[in-house]
Amino acid sequence: MPRNKVKIAFIKDKARKNSFMKRNEYLKDKLKEVSILCSIKACVIMYSSYEPQLEMWPEDKTAFQNVLNAFLTKSPMERSKFLLKQDSYIKERISKIK
């Protein structure tokens, strides 16, 4: 059964903020699950135009600082292994498909 056409429109401020907050919480929950299931240390920094301060996960500053320091102490070559830019990701996916 076909779906109706969705009208593309700008989301109102209150709805946009609510949607952002829900997605923000969902992201933190998923990151927590992945870090527990895979036994890895992870952190995230989120910036929002709705709040003046940066939001961090995990909220324990020492745990966050440990993860960040572990990343920053690696050499730039090792660090680049963990970073992926959109254009390099797309090129990698295209090469795998071919």
Side-chain angles (χ1 to χ4, degrees), residues 24 28 31 42-47 51 53-62 64-65 68:
N24 193 3
K28 288 190 281 186
L31 185 62
C43 69
V44 67
I45 302 171
M46 292 174 272
Y47 169 76
E51 296 180 19
Q53 294 182 348
L54 293 175
E55 193 171 344
M56 302 180 302
W57 186 90
E59 292 175 359
D60 178 25
K61 289 187 180 185
T62 56
F64 180 84
Q65 196 66 36
L68 191 60

Side-chain angles (χ1 to χ4, degrees), residues 28-95:
K28 288 190 281 186
D29 288 343
K30 288 299 170 185
L31 185 62
K32 183 179 178 182
E33 288 176 15
V34 167
S35 66
I36 291 171
L37 292 172
C38 299
S39 299
I40 60 170
K41 295 179 181 177
C43 69
V44 67
I45 302 171
M46 292 174 272
Y47 169 76
S48 167
S49 58
Y50 304 112
E51 296 180 19
Q53 294 182 348
L54 293 175
E55 193 171 344
M56 302 180 302
W57 186 90
E59 292 175 359
D60 178 25
K61 289 187 180 185
T62 56
F64 180 84
Q65 196 66 36
N66 290 340
V67 174
L68 191 60
N69 286 337
F71 178 74
L72 293 176
T73 55
K74 295 188 183 303
S75 69
M77 184 72 115
E78 287 179 312
R79 249 191 267 167
S80 66
K81 292 179 191 175
F82 303 110
L83 300 176
L84 192 60
K85 296 185 176 141
Q86 186 175 5
D87 59 339
S88 61
Y89 174 75
I90 291 172
K91 287 176 186 174
E92 182 182 312
R93 294 295 296 165
I94 289 171
S95 66

